[in-house]
Amino acid sequence: QVQLVESGGGLVQPGGSLRLSCAASGITFSIYTMGWYRQAPGKQRELVATITSGGGRINYSDSVKGRFTISRDNAKNTVYLEMTNLKPEDTAVYYCNANLENRPAYTYWGRGTQVTVSS
């Protein structure tokens, strides 16, 4: 059974930082592209960042570029999202995603972790 379990969310003041983690099990983690997505109330889920299996290709949305960093540890089956200089508009539920390129049947999602940026 595939499981993606996010952790590290919480309440933080504007300008603050958080580090999200996503621990994967039930998949061969090292061959999957991993990603973080987010969904704010009343909005569609949007891509935040992705990282390919070996970490050689990383992609960020324009809204987080320069503030967020995605990384992975294939030995620990874990992907991370380091978030700095957080803004109120970063408030959302953050979801972990695992997928194989061109194999949509092999796409998995975590349950999400809430990030709230507020003073």
Side-chain angles (χ1 to χ4, degrees):
Q1 183 180 0
V2 178
Q3 283 193 311
L4 302 177
V5 181
E6 302 97 336
S7 62
L11 173 64
V12 63
Q13 291 187 341
S17 300
L18 280 176
R19 188 194 197 204
L20 304 184
S21 300
C22 171
S25 60
I27 59 172
T28 305
F29 181 81
S30 61
I31 68 171
Y32 277 76
T33 290
M34 299 300 297
W36 288 96
Y37 292 72
R38 67 186 182 187
Q39 188 167 17
K43 294 188 176 181
Q44 289 189 331
R45 190 173 298 189
E46 63 175 3
L47 180 146
V48 175
T50 60
I51 183 168
T52 51
S53 57
R57 192 165 72 241
I58 290 174
N59 179 51
Y60 295 101
S61 69
D62 288 342
S63 61
V64 307
K65 204 171 291 183
R67 300 187 298 122
F68 290 12
T69 303
I70 189 171
S71 62
R72 66 189 294 159
D73 186 336
N74 286 348
K76 294 183 178 180
N77 289 1
T78 301
V79 62
Y80 305 96
L81 185 68
E82 190 77 39
M83 306 186 292
T84 64
N85 191 20
L86 283 160
K87 305 175 181 181
E89 51 264 42
D90 294 318
T91 295
V93 178
Y94 283 70
Y95 296 92
C96 179
N97 170 274
N99 73 88
L100 290 179
E101 193 170 348
N102 298 322
R103 306 281 298 274
Y106 294 88
T107 297
Y108 305 102
W109 292 92
R111 292 189 175 184
T113 185
Q114 176 70 47
V115 171
T116 302
V117 185
S118 175
S119 55

